[in-house]
Amino acid sequence: GIFLGLGIKKEGNKEVIIKADDITEKKVSAIFVAIDDEDRGVALDLVTEIKPGNGQVLVNINNVLADITTQYSARVAASVASKIANVDLSKIDVFYNMITNASIVAGGSAGSIMAITTIAALENKDIREDVVVTGSIDEDGNIVSAGGVLEKAGAAKSRGAKLFLIP
């Protein structure tokens, strides 16, 4: 599973659980890799944004179509992040903004980076720009599969990644 923290902040020697009311607007950027319609690896930008709201999970991809697996991955990623960061998302909106020139984004392999960026946003952290991850995520937080790994590795390298994590 993913482990970036438990949603616990320290105040002196005392640990305090993060509450939804403590969350303010935060954006976290990361690189994600995908396969284009010509089976080439491409490195794209993901900007995950959280802000007070009513529990919506939205995917915005330059106003292009996201297939059902990408939308499902976003919901699973937000749910996993909620559990790991120990934050109830019922009063927080999560926006996944994918910046791409593609006409359609399909598949679930952005699920892992969506979850990681959501955890980072909830915990007010940032993501290293030289680390790229790919893989679908299941409801238990396990990163379970990724296709086109060699092509994605080349795309990650082209964006300066020093570490490429795969399931």
Side-chain angles (χ1 to χ4, degrees), residues 31-46:
I31 297 168
F32 77 100
V33 288
I35 301 297
D36 69 10
D37 57 356
E38 296 177 11
D39 293 327
R40 293 179 300 201
V42 292
L44 310 164
D45 295 300
L46 171 68

Side-chain angles (χ1 to χ4, degrees), residues 135-150:
S136 299
I137 191 165
D138 69 17
E139 293 183 11
D140 293 326
N142 298 306
I143 300 174
V144 293
S145 65
V149 173
L150 289 177

Side-chain angles (χ1 to χ4, degrees), residues 95 125 156:
F95 301 90
K125 296 179 181 175

Side-chain angles (χ1 to χ4, degrees), residues 74-127:
R75 295 197 181 283
V76 171
S79 174
V80 167
S82 172
K83 292 174 192 169
I84 291 173
N86 199 21
V87 176
D88 177 8
L89 293 182
S90 64
K91 295 181 181 177
I92 299 168
D93 290 343
V94 181
F95 301 90
Y96 297 108
N97 299 293
M98 297 179 173
I99 300 152
T100 176
N101 293 326
S103 58
I104 185 167
V105 173
S109 65
S112 55
I113 194 60
M114 288 178 179
I116 292 166
T117 56
T118 307
I119 294 164
L122 292 169
E123 295 186 349
N124 199 27
K125 296 179 181 175
D126 293 307
I127 301 292

